[in-house]
Amino acid sequence: MSRKILKASAGTGKTYRLALEYVVSLFKGEKIRDIVVMTFTRKATGEIKNEIISFLRTLSAEPVTDKEIKKKNGTAESIIKIYPDMFSSAEEIYEKAEKAYKEVILNKDNLKIFTIDGLKNNIFKTAIAPMLNINSYDIIDDSQNTEYLKKCFERIFKNKKDFAVMKNFLETNIERDAENYIGVIKNIIDERWKALIIKRTERKPYEINGILNHLDKSLEALESIFEKKGKEGETIKDFIKKDYYPYLEKNTTEEKEKFIYDNWNMIFSSEIKNGRKTASTKKIDVSGENEELAELHEELLKELAKRIYNDTVIEYEKEILNFLEKVYFVYDEIKFREKKFTQQDITNYLLEFMNDKKLNLTNENGITDYMREILESGIKTIFIDEFQDTSVVQWEMLKSMVYSAEKVICVGDEKQSIYGWRGGDKELFENLTEILNGHEETLGVSYRSTKKVTDFTNKFFTDYSSIAKGQGINWNFQPVESSDKENGGYVEIYKSASKDENSLEKITEILKTKFDGNYKETCILARNNATLQEMAELLAEKNIPYIIETNLDIFSHKTALPIVKLMKYFV
């Protein structure tokens, strides 16, 4: 089995390499239907398909110009460089390419290039929906799903016991983000995948050791300090924090333990001793007593934590988990009746039922023949593009297919995984080589950027990698080289040194003097939309052509506002 992880920065020929690996699989005799490529966007699926066809066309067509000859020879050399023992000559590659090109052109609509959502939806539609007696359904977005979340809440609200649990959850959950009850329901459904991945187990209570007599022992140590340091008119209370005074009035073990239970938050926050009064002085050494007090307090916290866990946490967790199950049950009833599903719903149901033995989609060896029939593929080879965007839940869906394949190639950019875009899990990509027991390769040449841009990027991320390590993030950035041999390009960061200085004015001056009308491959990056708008106005004043890309609505643009106002007036 072959497992390869390609670390690829932007511009290092990632799509080209994927196409090369796909073509090599065809040259080895693999069928088109048995090679699966997965990525995240429809645009990416189109790009990969076009690159594969272009790759084969280059190798199979008879070149006419010197440029075409050079490109064809260079493409063959790229294959031989990566697979030196597989092909005896470039002619052998050209011969195989001609046959493969005809096959791909005849079957280009049958290439197994999926978005991960597309793959997921196919499995749900073909196998899971029929099992749930759902013959047809609609896919809706989150805004449309609010209606069904409301219905779910209404059902729970009618049950006083369930609603009481929900209300208590809102009041006591320290990580609550929801602004309202429907928001809570949405969060529960959105995070349902975690409950499906993490198997529920029965919590075992801690073994309790004896009674909580640590405060009594602490009082004995404080008596010793009082005897050494106490002054006339003082009592033992002067050496104790006021919050602990009521404990002195407790006589029975039950009363004392009740005080500790009732005031556990205070006990976890501070010790019984008055630190100002119990400290050692030059003349009086009470360090031994203070060490004993610290040890007793630490032991008390450990034993108290065990009791709180046994008496409160275990039961509270059961109550919450049972409530979650109730929410899932009610939500599913509504969804199966209405037959309206979000992409998150489909993900959750896929996770819940994919390993169900009745469906026969997976087994201990990976995927079954039935799953291969659904996908219309033997899945001998799998390519996963932009792997850094893969989330834990997506990996749970994909891994049975990955482990079933004979050849796996995953491509990703660690610089993007560090940001967690798309909910991708950084640690997953970071540890993928170990997870798959595979071979790691770095695409080390940037064909897109000039040398100065590449050098700047290398320095930036090398410094960032050092900072990340200081914060406990394990990331070893690998610099790339530039294919640019002329030391071209230009990179500069400008920030106003004072309130009077306008860095944007400075940028327009540089554009005028350094580029002199040749602005085609020039880019300006800013932190926010307001700065970009200000920059655009300056460029317009200087007659410098530009295209602005922001996340502002088109109707918010200054050129569109008058038209919008006029239209509103007439309407």
Side-chain angles (χ1 to χ4, degrees):
M1 290 190 178
S2 173
R3 303 281 187 267
K4 190 181 292 184
I5 292 85
L6 299 177
K7 302 289 180 75
S9 295
T12 54
K14 170 179 65 68
T15 306
Y16 178 90
R17 179 60 180 272
L18 268 180
L20 182 152
E21 296 287 356
Y22 189 101
V23 165
V24 168
S25 295
L26 292 177
F27 291 172
K28 288 168 64 179
E30 291 185 36
K31 297 177 180 178
I32 285 176
R33 71 188 302 273
D34 292 337
I35 307 171
V36 174
V37 182
M38 284 180 279
T39 188
F40 284 83
T41 65
R42 289 182 181 179
K43 180 184 177 185
T45 62
E47 288 174 350
I48 292 169
K49 181 184 289 188
N50 291 338
E51 188 71 20
I52 291 168
I53 293 171
S54 173
F55 205 98
L56 285 169
R57 186 189 299 116
T58 297
L59 289 171
S60 60
E62 195 64 41
V64 177
T65 65
D66 290 343
K67 184 178 180 180
E68 289 174 348
I69 294 171
K70 184 178 179 181
K71 184 177 181 182
K72 182 173 183 175
N73 292 338
T75 304
E77 287 170 7
S78 296
I79 294 174
I80 293 171
K81 183 178 179 180
I82 297 170
Y83 294 99
D85 302 326
M86 191 175 293
F87 305 99
S88 58
S89 65
E91 284 67 29
E92 181 187 355
I93 292 174
Y94 301 149
E95 184 180 333
K96 289 180 179 292
E98 188 174 349
K99 180 182 176 182
Y101 180 59
K102 291 177 182 177
E103 185 182 1
V104 167
I105 291 299
L106 289 172
N107 297 279
K108 65 179 181 179
D109 292 332
N110 296 320
L111 268 63
K112 302 300 178 184
I113 304 177
F114 305 106
T115 63
I116 292 178
D117 276 347
L119 182 76
K120 172 188 72 178
N121 291 337
N122 185 21
I123 297 170
F124 179 79
K125 181 179 180 179
T126 309
I128 295 174
M131 184 196 74
L132 298 172
N133 294 318
I134 299 170
N135 298 318
S136 63
Y137 58 89
D138 295 321
I139 295 178
I140 60 176
D141 59 30
D142 285 345
S143 62
Q144 293 170 304
N145 199 46
T146 303
E147 174 187 346
Y148 304 102
L149 294 172
K150 287 179 179 177
K151 289 180 179 180
C152 182
F153 170 67
E154 287 166 2
R155 284 270 302 274
I156 291 168
F157 180 76
K158 290 176 182 178
N159 186 311
K160 291 183 178 180
K161 183 179 178 181
D162 291 335
F163 182 68
V165 173
M166 185 178 184
K167 191 175 180 181
N168 182 53
F169 176 73
L170 268 179
E171 291 173 350
T172 58
N173 181 20
I174 59 174
E175 295 182 352
R176 66 182 184 274
D177 291 320
E179 295 179 359
N180 50 51
Y181 293 122
I182 295 171
V184 173
I185 299 290
K186 183 181 186 306
N187 286 349
I188 289 171
I189 298 302
D190 286 347
E191 301 297 320
R192 183 178 185 176
W193 63 270
K194 294 178 182 177
L196 294 167
I197 291 175
I198 303 170
K199 302 302 179 184
R200 183 172 175 179
T201 57
E202 195 71 24
R203 298 283 186 183
K204 293 182 179 179
Y206 283 105
E207 184 178 337
I208 302 302
N209 300 319
I211 61 174
L212 296 176
N213 60 355
H214 303 76
L215 290 184
D216 286 343
K217 292 180 178 179
S218 295
L219 286 172
E220 292 174 9
L222 286 168
E223 285 282 0
S224 175
I225 294 175
F226 173 63
E227 289 175 6
K228 293 180 179 180
K229 293 192 65 182
K231 297 177 182 178
E232 188 176 345
E234 289 183 331
T235 67
I236 186 67
K237 279 188 172 184
D238 293 305
F239 291 76
I240 299 172
K241 285 189 176 174
K242 290 182 179 180
D243 289 337
Y244 285 85
Y245 284 179
Y247 183 81
L248 301 176
E249 300 170 4
K250 310 302 178 185
N251 298 313
T252 67
T253 300
E254 290 76 13
E255 290 175 337
K256 291 176 179 179
E257 289 204 346
K258 185 176 185 306
F259 171 86
I260 292 172
Y261 273 117
D262 291 345
N263 296 277
W264 65 266
N265 196 28
M266 178 266 291
I267 291 171
F268 271 94
S269 300
S270 64
E271 295 184 45
I272 188 172
K273 69 178 183 180
N274 179 342
R276 183 176 58 83
K277 297 289 291 183
T278 57
S280 294
T281 63
K282 290 182 180 180
K283 295 182 178 180
I284 305 172
D285 181 17
V286 288
S287 57
E289 288 89 341
N290 277 296
E291 287 177 10
E292 183 183 358
L293 284 167
E295 290 173 5
L296 285 167
H297 186 71
E298 188 64 28
E299 290 174 12
L300 173 60
L301 296 185
K302 289 179 181 178
E303 289 301 317
L304 182 54
K306 290 178 184 178
R307 285 165 167 77
I308 292 171
Y309 179 83
N310 291 352
D311 298 341
T312 305
V313 175
I314 291 177
E315 288 305 313
Y316 180 69
E317 183 187 57
K318 284 181 182 178
E319 191 176 59
I320 291 299
L321 291 175
N322 289 336
F323 171 70
L324 295 180
E325 291 295 334
K326 178 69 175 182
V327 172
Y328 302 150
F329 177 79
V330 171
Y331 184 80
D332 290 347
E333 270 196 340
I334 294 168
K335 284 289 177 163
F336 296 159
R337 183 179 67 247
E338 302 284 350
K339 298 178 177 59
K340 309 281 187 182
F341 303 109
T342 64
Q343 287 292 346
Q344 186 62 53
D345 291 335
I346 293 173
T347 296
N348 290 338
Y349 296 137
L350 190 65
L351 281 177
E352 185 170 1
F353 298 112
M354 189 169 176
N355 296 319
D356 192 316
K357 291 184 178 179
K358 290 183 291 185
L359 281 176
N360 190 32
L361 297 175
T362 63
N363 56 30
E364 62 276 5
N365 298 317
I367 61 172
T368 62
D369 289 338
Y370 176 50
M371 174 71 97
R372 290 184 172 88
E373 286 179 22
I374 290 173
L375 301 175
E376 298 179 332
S377 173
I379 309 189
K380 302 282 184 169
T381 295
I382 287 182
F383 301 115
I384 304 179
D385 188 23
E386 304 290 1
F387 193 92
Q388 79 281 344
D389 290 340
T390 304
S391 66
V392 172
V393 64
Q394 288 166 333
W395 176 243
E396 284 294 319
M397 293 188 296
L398 295 175
K399 67 181 182 182
S400 58
M401 299 178 208
V402 170
Y403 290 136
S404 298
E406 295 174 7
K407 179 180 178 181
V408 178
I409 295 181
C410 300
V411 186
D413 184 355
E414 279 189 308
K415 293 198 301 302
Q416 293 183 37
S417 72
I418 203 85
Y419 302 113
W421 290 345
R422 296 183 190 272
D425 186 85
K426 187 184 76 68
E427 284 75 20
L428 179 59
F429 184 51
E430 187 179 282
N431 298 312
L432 188 61
T433 304
E434 185 178 341
I435 292 169
L436 295 181
N437 190 24
H439 166 70
E440 186 175 302
E441 181 183 337
T442 299
L443 303 186
V445 179
S446 173
Y447 300 95
R448 181 182 302 167
S449 300
T450 59
K451 187 175 186 308
K452 287 181 179 176
V453 172
T454 304
D455 289 346
F456 171 83
T457 305
N458 284 337
K459 184 179 185 312
F460 179 90
F461 281 103
T462 299
D463 293 344
Y464 187 88
S465 177
S466 299
I467 295 169
K469 285 179 182 177
Q471 297 176 351
I473 300 173
N474 183 25
W475 180 45
N476 294 311
F477 169 69
Q478 297 294 325
V480 298
E481 296 179 7
S482 173
S483 61
D484 173 26
K485 304 302 180 185
E486 298 180 0
N487 197 29
Y490 179 85
V491 181
E492 198 71 65
I493 297 176
Y494 276 96
K495 185 178 179 181
S496 299
S498 65
K499 292 181 179 180
D500 297 328
E501 183 184 358
N502 189 331
S503 59
L504 302 186
E505 288 276 7
K506 183 67 176 176
I507 291 171
T508 57
E509 291 174 16
I510 292 171
L511 289 171
K512 280 285 191 181
T513 55
K514 278 190 173 290
F515 299 95
D516 192 25
N518 184 18
Y519 309 120
K520 186 177 180 181
E521 295 183 350
T522 305
C523 175
I524 300 171
L525 299 177
R527 185 173 290 275
N528 53 54
N529 291 321
T531 305
L532 284 177
Q533 290 291 345
E534 186 181 348
M535 186 76 247
E537 291 172 9
L538 281 171
L539 293 174
E541 288 177 13
K542 303 289 184 180
N543 294 318
I544 298 175
Y546 67 90
I547 297 173
I548 185 169
E549 292 188 15
T550 74
N551 56 10
L552 286 176
D553 189 290
I554 188 172
F555 297 113
S556 300
H557 194 275
K558 67 174 185 176
T559 57
L561 279 174
I563 300 172
V564 172
K565 288 180 180 179
L566 182 63
M567 290 173 68
K568 285 182 177 180
Y569 173 79
F570 286 119
V571 171

